[in-house]
Amino acid sequence: MEKYIVQGGTKLSGTVSVSGAKNVALKALVAACLTDEEVVIKNAPLISDISVMIDIIRELGGTVTISDHELKVQVKQFAHSTISLDQASHIRTSSMFLAPLLIRTQQAVIPNPGGCRIGARPIDRTVEGLIQMGADIDYMSEDGYFHATAHGLHGVTYRFEKNTHTGTETLIIAAVLATGKTILENAAEEPEIDELIELLNAMGAKIKRTDKRTIEIEGVTKLHAATCTIRPDRNEIVTFAIAAFITKGDVLVQGAKEDVLQAFLMKLDEIGAGYEVKNDGIRFFYQKPLQAASVTTAIYPGFMTDWQAPWAVLMTQAEGESTVHETVFSNRFGYVSELRKMGAKITFIHPEVANPQEVYNFDPKENEGMPHAIAITGPSPLHDAVVQISDLRAGASLVLAALAAKGATVIHGVSLIDRGYESFEERLHLLGANIKRVNE
């Protein structure tokens, strides 16, 4: 076990590069398993989640070679069709192997997937879609595994009840080699999904968006080798942007593009934060005292749920009262108690919602009584504390708070940050942060 010790109070300045998007790289690894030819994934982040997915592929009989940030993946044939409980417990996207295993081996045995516990993320939507495509899937409570078989998948028209990023991608992957046409309605529209579609089409798939939330897939008989280059991670960009603001610094994030950050940039305009779009990225800089502004998380193109914890940290330093209303996941405020230890003034609130079934991307009846919003009063002087990370984005947010706090903050559970940020402390150190990683 390792921890961070962060001495706050230093302005961050300089240039930082961000990794390729985690939420593309993980899915690209699954897509690569659809063919017996080699697929090359460039600009892949070297994070622990990627390592877990690589281990799963190797355990299934595939080969993965790593050179710098380039992954070469080839699965000539699967050695077996079972993913171990230990591997699946570490990562949510392990469930996506249902698709390539069913297509190439006609069977799959996969545990209920793990990952950060930020609320219910039911795999039911994915399972239901695969069943409609011709799979036979049973969940055995006695062993905790999904047991699936399929003697050829076929195209269907399937409508997702709620937005699901992973569910959309899994059914896309399943449909590319299915017989006939598949139409996915109310499909997620995040740009990371479009990157996956680009890779699959480069491999020989026939996929297109025919409407804002409609995707059509015409099944083909075979996929082939291809190469993709993953674009910068939106979550990392926002993290380093807030690091600049909260330390009253000036940071250029290389490769950042404004088109996928519109919801975030609009909020920066509202609070008076400085940014400048340049040819090689976006410069984020402190220019004047920040004003409070409230956010409600939403599916794309709205304000990302992954941005709300960093935003809450930033609002502790803004003038006035702001609110954060979480509508995507049911339990994403695990960081609040830790920020309170550091002096943040945050209270839980219960906003009045006239149509909760439509507003929330989870079932509000199953989470009745649980607060889905917070109110933040600022500016609050933050101070050192000993804090514990509850999930990936919360972990990065506690580091942001520590950068602005007076004194030395000790942050436990940094392995959760390693799931999504490569060399996080090293890149912060290059910007001037006083942060070190030590053994517990």
Side-chain angles (χ1 to χ4, degrees):
M1 301 296 290
E2 294 176 308
K3 62 187 177 184
Y4 284 149
I5 299 177
V6 184
Q7 181 72 47
T10 302
K11 292 183 180 181
L12 300 193
S13 63
T15 300
V16 66
S17 59
V18 294
S19 303
K22 165 192 170 183
N23 286 329
V24 177
L26 295 174
K27 316 324 174 38
L29 284 168
V30 178
C33 297
L34 290 172
T35 176
D36 59 5
E37 299 182 21
E38 184 178 82
V39 174
V40 180
I41 304 168
K42 297 184 177 182
N43 196 35
L46 301 182
I47 54 178
S48 63
D49 271 11
I50 292 293
S51 297
V52 173
M53 292 291 277
I54 289 173
D55 287 344
I56 291 174
I57 292 172
R58 287 171 174 166
E59 174 62 26
L60 290 171
T63 62
V64 183
T65 59
I66 306 170
S67 177
D68 193 9
H69 289 77
E70 180 180 281
L71 309 178
K72 293 182 178 179
V73 186
Q74 188 168 18
V75 185
K76 292 183 179 180
Q77 64 180 30
F78 284 108
H80 57 85
S81 304
T82 301
I83 294 177
S84 75
L85 180 60
D86 179 59
Q87 289 172 321
S89 67
H90 295 293
I91 190 164
R92 184 76 184 169
T93 46
S94 61
S95 66
M96 294 184 67
F97 284 103
L98 272 169
L101 284 171
L102 285 174
I103 289 167
R104 294 185 63 185
T105 74
Q106 288 76 57
Q107 59 184 342
V109 181
I110 294 181
N112 211 3
C116 287
R117 300 304 179 188
I118 53 177
R121 294 188 284 181
I123 192 176
D124 304 27
R125 301 165 194 169
T126 302
V127 169
E128 181 183 280
L130 289 172
I131 289 173
Q132 288 194 23
M133 294 177 71
D136 183 6
I137 305 176
D138 292 309
Y139 179 70
M140 303 297 185
S141 57
E142 57 268 25
D143 66 5
Y145 280 77
F146 288 93
H147 296 256
T149 58
H151 300 285
L153 298 177
H154 58 76
V156 295
T157 296
Y158 181 75
R159 182 175 184 83
F160 292 100
E161 181 183 353
K162 297 279 189 179
N163 185 80
T164 167
H165 193 301
T166 302
T168 297
E169 291 164 320
T170 304
L171 292 193
I172 289 172
I173 289 172
V176 293
L177 289 170
T179 301
K181 179 185 289 187
T182 297
I183 301 174
L184 301 179
E185 299 176 344
N186 197 30
E189 56 177 330
E190 283 82 0
E192 291 83 3
I193 293 176
D194 289 335
E195 286 194 59
L196 175 64
I197 291 173
E198 288 175 16
L199 168 60
L200 288 168
N201 283 341
M203 294 170 66
K206 295 181 179 179
I207 311 167
K208 61 182 179 181
R209 285 190 182 272
T210 58
D211 204 348
K212 186 177 181 181
R213 298 184 65 82
T214 303
I215 299 173
E216 286 190 7
I217 307 103
E218 189 71 50
V220 299
T221 58
K222 184 177 176 60
L223 298 181
H224 53 70
T227 298
C228 70
T229 300
I230 298 173
R231 300 185 187 108
D233 194 304
R234 292 189 291 156
N235 295 320
E236 281 204 0
I237 294 168
V238 168
T239 300
F240 284 107
I242 291 180
F245 301 137
I246 205 163
T247 63
K248 299 183 179 180
D250 190 332
V251 174
L252 172 66
V253 181
Q254 289 183 321
K257 301 292 185 182
E258 61 180 323
D259 58 338
V260 295
L261 296 169
Q262 286 300 314
F264 178 65
L265 297 179
M266 288 173 61
K267 284 297 173 181
L268 295 188
D269 291 332
E270 188 175 342
I271 67 174
Y275 66 92
E276 177 187 8
V277 178
K278 303 170 73 71
N279 291 334
D280 56 346
I282 302 178
R283 173 187 166 223
F284 298 97
F285 57 94
Y286 181 87
Q287 60 182 0
K288 62 182 179 180
L290 303 177
Q291 303 301 307
S294 296
V295 299
T296 297
T297 64
I299 59 178
Y300 189 83
F303 194 93
M304 280 187 72
T305 178
D306 284 342
W307 299 344
Q308 64 101 324
W311 184 265
V313 174
L314 185 61
M315 288 299 94
T316 67
Q317 304 307 297
E319 296 182 352
E321 182 176 282
S322 57
T323 61
V324 175
H325 186 188
E326 175 61 48
T327 71
V328 179
F329 289 120
S330 60
N331 183 24
R332 203 147 200 190
F333 291 115
Y335 61 87
V336 168
S337 61
E338 306 305 290
L339 287 181
R340 284 171 169 172
K341 292 179 185 177
M342 301 178 69
K345 297 177 181 178
I346 304 176
T347 57
F348 287 102
I349 58 176
H350 295 268
E352 292 187 10
V353 178
N355 50 346
Q357 289 291 345
E358 293 182 17
V359 170
Y360 293 111
N361 203 52
F362 50 87
D363 188 346
K365 292 181 180 178
E366 293 181 2
N367 299 275
E368 201 167 353
M370 181 180 291
H372 302 308
I374 55 175
I376 308 159
T377 302
S380 299
L382 300 179
H383 57 73
D384 53 350
V386 177
V387 295
Q388 179 70 44
I389 295 172
S390 59
D391 65 73
L392 166 58
R393 302 304 168 191
S397 302
L398 292 177
V399 173
L400 294 173
L403 292 172
K406 182 180 180 180
T409 298
V410 179
I411 304 174
H412 293 280
V414 299
S415 62
L416 285 169
I417 294 178
D418 295 337
R419 292 190 56 216
Y421 293 85
E422 178 184 343
S423 305
F424 190 43
E425 72 277 9
E426 295 173 17
R427 286 184 287 164
L428 287 171
H429 181 73
L430 290 174
L431 294 173
N434 187 343
I435 179 173
K436 60 182 179 180
R437 186 181 189 125
V438 298
N439 290 324
E440 294 277 11

